[in-house]
């Protein structure tokens, strides 16, 4: 799985897309390796994932244009499905995923970052959906997730013009939560991951599910989704532990994901 590196630091997992010669562009092999790497994550012990790109220049410079250039309609659709399946796996993964965007996040790169729960980036990051300039539409969820994350008007402007934006502009439109000097990006990602990892895993997982599923439906249905997520936390060890620690005025909490 050399196209995707996986490192465990305590209870945090770091996935690095590792194809720096092609600026970490996503070809079928990278997508397969990413799929396998996600399957290999120990979701019992890991509490948060970070997704980043190898090298200092690029997070992911898009889907692999060389691989896509000769695809037939059917192959194009199959390639789109492969990417979409992996991206949905990230989006519905039973752990929070932070995208640490360390450079170009174009096309499929911007799209994979949007399938993560949270995006932070380095000052040299560049975001964009250049697909219409290549004669295609965004194919890994860009038309859907960008419009949900920023305003539909801004998403349409970015997609129709194929214009790249800087880290600061991505911050201004709410595409990323924070911008850091390059050398501070991974420490900041790990710090954020650690502050998620210290909380009750079942509760965090249920929040992710409730937010994601609730955003796809009307408010009445969404509230029922939240009620279920809330109720589901009761009778767990970690709910007893979290509330017990408060009542006993105890700072240390022993959450065990049960
Ligand atoms: N694909 C393949 N190779 C890429 C690549 C990409 N997306 N991006 C960069 N590379 C390769 C370059 O070809 C070059 O390889 P060599 O020539 O050295 O062999 C190497 O990475 C270094 O790139 P540059 O020499 O170009 O580096 P620069 O610093 O000069 O420029 C750049 C960096 C990021 C501005 C430039 O490389 C660039 O514009 N790259 C393309 C960015 C882009 O357009 N990305 C969007 C791709 S389209 C769908 C499924 C998915 C999608 C759509 C439909 N369905 C099937 C429905 C998604 C589409 C996309 O993501």
């Amino acid at each position: 799985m050399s196209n995707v590196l996986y490192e465990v630091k305590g209870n945090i997992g770091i996935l690095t897309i590792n194809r720096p010669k092609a600026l970490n562009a996503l070809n079928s092999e990278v997508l397969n390796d990413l799929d396998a790497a996600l399957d290999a994550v120990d979701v019992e012990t890991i509490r948060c994932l970070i997704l980043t790109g190898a090298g200092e220049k690029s997070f992911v410079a898009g889907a692999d244009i060389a691989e896509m250039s000769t695809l037939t309609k059917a192959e194009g659709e199959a390639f789109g499905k492969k990417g979409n399946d992996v991206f949905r796996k990230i989006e519905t993964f039973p752990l929070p995923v932070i995208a640490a965007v360390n450079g170009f996040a174009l096309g499929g790169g911007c799209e994979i970052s949007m399938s993560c729960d949270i995006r932070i980036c380095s000052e040299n990051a560049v975001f964009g959906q250049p697909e219409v300039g290549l004669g295609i539409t965004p194919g890994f969820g860009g038309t859907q997730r960008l419009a949900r994350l920023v305003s539909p008007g801004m998403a349409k402007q970015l997609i129709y013009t194929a214009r790249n934006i800087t880290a600061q502009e991505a911050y201004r439109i709410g595409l990323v939560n924070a911008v850091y000097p390059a050398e501070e990006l991974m420490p900041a990602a790990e710090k954020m991951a650690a502050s998620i990892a210290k909380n009750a895993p079942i509760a965090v997982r249920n929040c992710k599910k409730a937010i994601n599923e609730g955003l796809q439906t009307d408010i009445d249905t969404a509230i029922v989704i939240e009620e279920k997520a809330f109720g589901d936390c009761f009778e767990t060890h970690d709910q007893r532990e979290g509330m017990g620690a408060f009542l006993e005025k105890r700072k240390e909490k022993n959450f065990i994901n049960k």
Side-chain angles (χ1 to χ4, degrees):
M1 286 203 312
S2 62
N3 288 300
V4 178
L5 308 175
Y6 183 54
E7 184 189 358
V8 172
K9 279 192 174 179
N11 54 10
I12 294 163
I14 304 174
L15 287 162
T16 304
I17 298 177
N18 182 38
R19 200 185 165 217
K21 277 190 186 152
L23 302 183
N24 304 320
L26 302 172
N27 60 14
S28 303
E29 228 178 67
V30 176
L31 290 170
N32 288 336
D33 287 356
L34 185 56
D35 194 35
L38 287 164
D39 286 343
V41 172
D42 180 358
V43 294
E44 291 303 316
T45 58
I46 297 299
R47 299 280 182 263
C48 188
L49 286 181
I50 297 170
L51 179 69
T52 194
E56 287 160 11
K57 197 171 160 182
S58 183
F59 173 66
V60 169
D64 191 298
I65 298 170
E67 181 174 336
M68 285 191 298
S69 61
T70 55
L71 297 184
T72 61
K73 277 186 199 294
E75 289 165 342
E77 209 176 307
F79 184 67
K81 177 161 170 42
K82 188 192 284 277
N84 276 323
D85 287 350
V86 179
F87 289 18
R88 272 298 278 164
K89 188 177 271 192
I90 294 170
E91 195 166 43
T92 59
F93 205 69
L95 296 173
V97 185
I98 300 169
V101 178
N102 57 312
F104 292 114
L106 300 175
C110 186
E111 290 168 307
I112 199 170
S113 81
M114 293 191 290
S115 70
C116 298
D117 295 276
I118 294 165
R119 283 151 298 287
I120 59 176
C121 73
S122 53
E123 286 168 344
N124 67 328
V126 177
F127 293 81
Q129 296 288 164
E131 286 88 347
V132 294
L134 294 164
I136 53 174
T137 63
F140 290 154
T143 58
Q144 302 309 309
R145 292 194 182 93
L146 190 57
R148 284 166 167 80
L149 275 170
V150 304
S151 69
M154 183 58 78
K156 286 175 176 173
Q157 183 182 334
L158 291 175
I159 290 171
Y160 300 170
T161 62
R163 185 172 69 86
N164 291 346
I165 58 171
T166 62
Q168 279 309 328
E169 196 169 351
Y171 176 66
R172 188 177 62 72
I173 64 173
L175 184 55
V176 298
N177 290 9
V179 183
Y180 298 94
E183 66 281 7
E184 291 174 24
L185 177 66
M186 283 311 286
E190 287 175 32
K191 193 170 165 205
M192 185 187 290
S195 69
I196 292 171
K198 72 175 176 16
N199 293 316
I202 294 170
V204 172
R205 188 157 62 239
N206 286 7
C207 289
K208 171 167 177 166
K209 203 166 177 291
I211 293 168
N212 282 354
E213 291 180 7
L215 280 171
Q216 306 309 323
T217 186
D218 63 279
I219 188 71
D220 291 317
T221 311
I223 289 296
V224 174
I225 291 171
E226 185 182 84
E227 284 164 8
K228 172 83 184 71
F230 176 71
D232 196 45
C233 296
F234 287 82
E235 296 179 48
T236 63
H237 167 279
D238 289 350
Q239 174 256 327
R240 299 274 146 93
E241 170 67 8
M243 293 189 178
F246 174 80
L247 295 171
E248 292 158 23
K249 302 190 187 304
R250 183 161 47 85
K251 278 223 169 79
E252 290 310 310
K253 290 176 235 174
N254 181 29
F255 291 131
I256 60 170
N257 198 14
K258 289 202 166 37

